[in-house]
Amino acid sequence: MDAVGPRIEGQGSLEADWAACTWLEALPVHDAASVLRDVRRLVVVSPHPDDEVLACAGVMQAALAQDIAVHVVSVTDGEACYPDAPLWPAARLRDARRHELATAMRLLGLDATHVTPLGLPDGSVATHEAELAAQLAAQALPGDLLVAPWVGDAHPDHDAAGRAAQAAARGRGIRSLQYPVWAWHWLDPRAATGPWPGAMRIPMSRAAQARKHDAMQAFATQTGAVEGLDCEPILPAHVTARFRRAFEVLIG
């Protein structure tokens, strides 16, 4: 996650309310093996370092367990997340967040060879959307499953990355799915219906949940577990709670 837009303000929807959400509970459950059937490589498009772990750590682990190649396209370095924190300028954040991502990947059984950092400017992915779509299309292989943010996530970088991934998937004739991140903040868990007719819940084992939680904690700049951060972190406890569930959601 990173600097957010006007729909992402305040505390947002609490996980306790999501736990009682009838439309979320009613989403069909698909095991990871069925979602990954016939997939040769899982490609996760991540707008900022941490989005791939928050949304897809369980699916990535399931792919590895099935000997499916996993690759993360890290679109930006998340260097603009604290523009008003003098001790955390963009250059320092860029280095820190790349290191955090590398640590998180190791905790999930991956390494630097599984990540392609594109270095597009944080907060301005939309102005590079065509470039991103072209890069994703150039990297696509037959049998890929491309997983990217929901195009309605309400963060401009997420929405642009989702659109670029959809364009690349259509152009190369490969399958794609989407994941929500900021949607959990602003969607109404008390609504009668959800916005995703093709969504599914994918359960995680306790071991996979534990590894995901450890990987989430690797993003210390985002959770606030660093010195000199004199503002609210991007991932306080009430936000990370939304990603400590026993399942992940993908949108078909």
Side-chain angles (χ1 to χ4, degrees):
M1 295 196 214
D2 230 61
V4 295
R7 298 185 73 179
I8 310 170
E9 298 177 325
Q11 187 169 248
S13 300
L14 296 178
E15 181 57 18
D17 295 323
W18 283 116
C21 176
T22 55
W23 64 259
L24 179 57
E25 177 67 23
L27 291 182
V29 176
H30 291 249
D31 63 85
S34 66
V35 175
L36 296 168
R37 184 174 295 119
D38 299 324
V39 172
R40 296 180 61 185
R41 186 176 66 155
L42 173 67
V43 179
V44 179
V45 180
S46 177
H48 314 101
D50 72 4
D51 290 316
E52 67 294 302
V53 170
L54 296 173
C56 298
V59 176
M60 289 193 288
Q61 291 180 74
L64 289 176
Q66 296 178 54
D67 293 322
I68 296 170
V70 176
H71 198 77
V72 172
V73 178
S74 189
V75 178
T76 82
D77 294 318
E79 71 278 3
C81 59
Y82 296 122
D84 299 318
L87 294 181
W88 286 95
R92 184 183 184 190
L93 278 164
R94 183 178 294 108
D95 291 343
R97 297 195 71 176
R98 284 199 178 196
H99 175 75
E100 290 169 351
L101 177 58
T103 300
M105 292 296 97
R106 286 196 298 272
L107 289 167
L108 296 178
L110 300 161
D111 59 37
T113 65
H114 296 88
V115 178
T116 297
L118 299 184
L120 294 183
D122 183 15
S124 299
V125 175
T127 63
H128 297 266
E129 189 173 322
E131 174 187 348
L132 175 58
Q135 292 199 54
L136 294 175
Q139 296 178 30
L141 299 172
D144 279 356
L145 170 60
L146 195 59
V147 181
W150 179 39
V151 296
D153 211 35
H155 184 300
D157 284 350
H158 289 220
D159 299 353
R163 292 191 300 266
Q166 284 188 329
R170 286 194 301 268
R172 294 302 302 270
I174 61 175
R175 183 174 160 221
S176 67
L177 296 171
Q178 298 184 317
Y179 60 78
V181 174
W182 278 115
W184 302 120
H185 186 91
W186 59 265
L187 282 175
D188 185 0
R190 297 163 297 181
T193 59
W196 311 312
M200 67 192 93
R201 288 189 296 150
I202 304 172
M204 287 184 287
S205 68
R206 289 187 180 274
Q209 291 176 60
R211 285 190 291 268
K212 176 174 180 172
H213 298 167
D214 288 345
M216 286 165 54
Q217 292 307 307
F219 296 100
T221 61
Q222 306 305 286
T223 64
V226 291
E227 295 182 358
L229 189 63
D230 53 359
C231 61
E232 180 76 2
I234 300 294
L235 296 177
H238 72 271
V239 172
T240 57
R242 302 170 190 146
F243 304 97
R244 294 182 179 276
R245 302 167 181 163
F247 62 89
E248 293 172 338
V249 172
L250 291 179
I251 305 161

